[in-house]
Amino acid sequence: SLFRLKDLEVPKLGDSDVHVKMLAAPINPADINMIQGTYPLLSPLPAVGGNEGVGEVLEVGRRVTALKPGDWVIPANAGLGTWRTRGVFPEEMLLKVPSDIPVLCAATLSVNPCTAFRVLADFESLAPGDSVIQNAANSGVGQAVIQIARASGIKTINVVRDRPDLPKLVERLMALGADYVITEEMLRKPEMKDIFKSIPRPRLALNCVGGKSTTEMLRHLQPKGTMVTYGGMAKQPVMVPVSAFIFRDVRLRGFWMTQWRKDHAQDQGSVAGMMDALCQLIRRGQLTAPACTEVPIQDYRAALEASMKPFVSSKQILLL
């Protein structure tokens, strides 16, 4: 196994450092990919896993002005190493979040909801009544897309893999505000036409699967529509018929939250605007944490194994 639970000394607090007591941190697919070495970010070893989570500030260095003890913080960038009980981090590696939102919402805020927010905002200017289609709709990003779209009056067509407990999953996504939940097989069926009697064809498709699922989804996109790929869970390429390019002029784009953060490192306004918008949705009950299973850090092995099983509809969250 690549993992060990280790006791380390907490380093000395520098002038610009913040001593953080971690509260909760999820296990995301990208965390596993980083550990396997199949992700473009590599931490020098030995490293602490985890790119997301929430902590409470215990003390701050004498130059730190934006944070004080008792504040809640989340990572400003990937690679922080959140699977730990305590850490000392430079101030610029942390973002303050309100402590009046549920701890699981804060712990799962910096990756999936931010990704969902950006892919909905940055590629097509969507208006109320427009629609989007997405695969892996039960993923963390998928659940956030459903809720953020719903709050903006945008309709969602949500594609999931067929599974034994399908009716239960459909019910859960509908409860989050999904307009339609369909299986990959249904994408090929004539019944799809019935959906487009009541809502317009999507201008935006969101893909984190690849392979056949993506090609089928693309078929339903409006002319000049955009498909954004932000993941590739099937580990298969995106195949596009030539006709989709020539006769419908579809656009294919990519999105990586880590890159967006790098590009906007100097633009604190856009980061703050996004965080404020997301926290407002959370406070209004319009954006909830994904379905979570809370696991004490001692049981991290079981949590890692559970997070790699197929058809998992619950995110493993380490309680620190």
Side-chain angles (χ1 to χ4, degrees):
S1 159
L2 297 160
F3 288 100
R4 285 204 294 284
L5 202 52
K6 265 185 82 120
D7 285 319
L8 302 173
E9 288 287 301
V10 174
K12 210 167 86 48
L13 190 71
D15 286 349
S16 305
D17 288 342
V18 180
H19 182 182
V20 177
K21 170 182 179 258
M22 290 304 296
L23 302 172
I27 299 176
N28 289 319
D31 302 330
I32 307 279
N33 294 343
M34 263 174 94
I35 293 149
Q36 292 166 336
T38 58
Y39 203 67
L41 289 179
L42 294 174
S43 302
L45 298 172
V48 178
N51 289 298
E52 192 178 33
V54 62
E56 182 185 336
V57 174
L58 293 177
E59 72 183 305
V60 298
R62 60 190 184 88
R63 287 223 188 95
V64 175
T65 52
L67 295 169
K68 60 183 189 307
D71 284 348
W72 276 15
V73 288
I74 62 174
N77 297 299
L80 191 67
T82 53
W83 300 344
R84 62 173 105 211
T85 53
R86 304 223 162 163
V88 170
F89 308 108
E91 176 183 22
E92 70 270 11
M93 291 178 77
L94 303 168
L95 284 178
K96 183 176 165 177
V97 291
S99 52
D100 65 347
I101 61 175
V103 70
L104 293 182
C105 287
T108 53
L109 184 57
S110 63
V111 178
N112 295 329
C114 290
T115 299
F117 186 90
R118 298 262 58 103
V119 293
L120 285 170
D122 294 354
F123 295 91
E124 288 281 343
S125 42
L126 299 170
D130 283 344
S131 79
V132 302
I133 187 167
Q134 63 165 346
N135 55 22
N138 58 315
S139 67
V141 174
Q143 293 176 53
V145 163
I146 289 171
Q147 296 173 86
I148 296 167
R150 179 62 178 264
S152 329
I154 294 159
K155 310 286 182 198
T156 57
I157 303 164
N158 300 282
V159 185
V160 296
R161 286 183 297 174
D162 201 0
R163 62 194 64 215
D165 58 349
L166 185 66
K168 215 158 73 195
L169 176 62
V170 170
E171 193 181 335
R172 218 181 52 162
L173 296 183
M174 296 300 274
L176 289 180
D179 294 283
Y180 297 92
V181 182
I182 60 174
T183 62
E184 297 193 337
E185 292 68 37
M186 268 192 68
L187 278 172
R188 289 177 208 112
K189 300 251 165 75
E191 287 87 24
M192 285 299 290
K193 287 200 181 66
D194 297 338
I195 291 180
F196 300 125
K197 282 179 187 145
S198 42
I199 65 168
R201 284 185 178 270
R203 300 236 310 271
L204 181 67
L206 305 174
N207 165 49
C208 75
V209 179
K212 202 165 203 162
S213 157
T214 310
T215 312
E216 294 295 339
M217 202 165 60
L218 205 58
R219 204 177 268 175
H220 301 294
L221 210 52
Q222 270 190 38
K224 294 196 183 340
T226 305
M227 182 171 77
V228 181
T229 293
Y230 66 91
M233 295 192 318
K235 296 188 167 50
Q236 289 163 351
V238 168
M239 306 285 276
V240 183
V242 170
S243 61
F245 280 128
I246 298 176
F247 302 119
R248 291 195 294 124
D249 189 18
V250 298
R251 283 139 226 260
L252 267 62
R253 301 285 307 272
F255 181 79
W256 188 29
M257 194 64 220
T258 302
Q259 188 62 46
W260 187 91
R261 289 192 192 284
K262 276 196 193 109
D263 295 346
H264 293 79
Q266 301 315 311
D267 176 11
Q268 281 316 299
S270 63
V271 178
M274 168 172 72
M275 299 318 285
D276 288 349
L278 291 170
C279 289
Q280 285 291 13
L281 290 173
I282 291 168
R283 283 202 195 91
R284 290 194 207 119
Q286 292 177 306
L287 178 61
T288 55
C292 292
T293 305
E294 300 174 44
V295 183
I297 193 165
Q298 291 72 19
D299 302 338
Y300 73 94
R301 282 206 169 159
L304 282 164
E305 271 167 36
S307 73
M308 294 197 250
K309 288 204 178 85
F311 300 125
V312 180
S313 285
S314 185
K315 197 173 271 300
Q316 305 290 312
I317 304 248
L318 298 171
L319 295 184
L320 307 159

